[in-house]
Amino acid sequence: MESEKGFTLVEVLVSIVLLGIIFTSFYGLLVQSAQTNTVSRTMMDLSYVAQNEFELMKAKGQETSGKTRIQIVEELGYTYRQTSSINGSAWLEFSKTIPLDNRRIVLRVENSPSALNRVIIEVFEEATIDSNTKLEGVLRWG
């Protein structure tokens, strides 16, 4: 009897199923990688916005010229919201929205008579839930 060379239908089907399983697992990996990349890019953008706002605050805080801290911060486009208490310290709280980018910035400045005050800047992206970043620093006024 002569042996025929080639693949049987069962061998071809098994190889197709195996290739399908392999490609499906790689597809899941690619989707997860794309989602992680998007979140990382968003966080980096929000961190840049927070850093930029801190630098603006730093520059504006040097030129006080008899203005109150509330007036100085409002000149940067913020709206005064309230005075709150965090860990027993009084904080001035401001907010600003950036409609074009669909972002909201919450700024908290420690309200103490000292020239050095802690500053907390939180940037939220309204389009996606749980996309926010927080920057904390110390600002010298005047």
Side-chain angles (χ1 to χ4, degrees), residues 27-44:
Y27 179 75
L29 182 67
L30 289 175
V31 168
Q32 182 66 30
S33 176
Q35 289 173 342
T36 302
N37 190 25
T38 302
V39 169
S40 177
R41 182 177 293 125
T42 300
M43 295 304 291
M44 194 168 60

Side-chain angles (χ1 to χ4, degrees), residues 15 28 36 60 73 80 84 140:
S15 64
T36 302
K60 198 69 169 170
V73 175
Y80 175 72
S84 58
R140 183 170 191 268

